[in-house]
Amino acid sequence: MLLLVFSWAGFAGYLYNDHILSPKASDIIEKIGLELYQKTGISEYAIVTNESLGRGVSLYDYVKNEHPDLKRPYAVLILAPNSKRIGIVVSDPSLKNMYDDDRVKGYAIRIIGSPDKNTMQSKYDVGVVQAYSELADEIAASKGVKLNNTIKDEGRWLIDAITWLVYLGSVVIFWIYFGRPLIRRIRNG
């Protein structure tokens, strides 16, 4: 019950939330953050804010100035929907080697930016939780730990396979329409 009260108040352990995420999404983030900390000693936070974080604002400086009480070492997933920004800030540069920045942010970007009939509330919930979960999984995996509360992306291999097929198809089409005719012209003068 206390966790629910804190999540509505804006802060509950691993989540700073400007009433953007639902209580259910907040609870999931709290469980993942607690498990990651207990198993690795690394804190992972999510900051979901309505503040204006324009292109000139450093996310690192924002975290350092606005949230100086974060427990080190930490990784922070930041989403500022009003500024259309998402980023990851770490307290120690060695933490950057524990995750794939583009992949983690890609989860949130794909979900939040998808043109479907879901509400923005549900897109924020799913996008932030999925990105947060992926970040936690990658950090835990780099430490040789498996987390139980994260959201497993079972279909990821299928998406990767389709992506490679599209790349391969592009190369074949390029070869058929441009590469082969160009080589024929060069050979035939």
Side-chain angles (χ1 to χ4, degrees):
M1 180 68 177
L2 191 57
L3 184 64
L4 183 63
V5 171
F6 279 137
S7 66
W8 278 107
F11 171 72
Y14 299 100
L15 175 66
Y16 290 81
N17 181 12
D18 283 349
H19 305 293
I20 296 172
L21 300 184
S22 70
K24 184 165 177 59
S26 301
D27 290 343
I28 294 169
I29 287 172
E30 290 300 328
K31 286 178 188 172
I32 294 170
L34 181 61
E35 183 183 13
L36 179 68
Y37 180 73
Q38 288 173 341
K39 292 184 175 181
T40 66
I42 297 172
S43 299
E44 180 185 358
Y45 298 96
I47 298 174
V48 186
T49 182
N50 284 318
E51 290 185 46
S52 178
L53 301 175
R55 293 288 168 211
V57 176
S58 163
L59 295 179
Y60 178 80
D61 289 340
Y62 169 76
V63 170
K64 191 170 108 181
N65 295 331
E66 298 295 322
H67 304 282
D69 56 336
L70 300 181
K71 186 170 183 162
R72 293 174 172 261
Y74 62 75
V76 181
L77 175 69
I78 302 170
L79 174 69
N82 291 343
S83 303
K84 296 184 171 117
R85 288 192 69 185
I86 186 166
I88 300 171
V89 173
V90 293
S91 63
D92 183 348
S94 67
L95 293 174
K96 283 190 174 268
N97 300 327
M98 295 182 175
Y99 65 91
D100 180 349
D101 189 68
D102 292 332
R103 182 176 173 150
V104 171
K105 291 189 296 188
Y107 277 97
I109 292 168
R110 275 194 310 273
I111 293 168
I112 294 169
S114 66
D116 56 28
K117 295 180 182 180
N118 291 321
T119 65
M120 286 311 293
Q121 172 71 52
S122 64
K123 287 182 181 186
Y124 291 145
D125 285 350
V126 173
V128 171
V129 168
Q130 188 67 47
Y132 188 87
S133 177
E134 179 64 23
L135 180 58
D137 269 339
E138 290 188 20
I139 290 172
S142 74
K143 292 281 198 178
V145 174
K146 189 158 181 69
L147 300 178
N148 300 321
N149 289 318
T150 57
I151 299 167
K152 306 301 179 220
D153 193 8
E154 303 295 335
R156 185 67 196 168
W157 68 270
L158 181 61
I159 293 170
D160 290 342
I162 290 171
T163 302
W164 281 106
L165 284 173
V166 168
Y167 290 148
L168 181 62
S170 298
V171 169
V172 169
I173 288 172
F174 180 80
W175 171 254
I176 290 171
Y177 288 104
F178 299 106
R180 194 172 62 181
L182 183 62
I183 290 174
R184 286 184 179 167
R185 283 187 198 150
I186 292 172
R187 284 186 185 163
N188 295 332

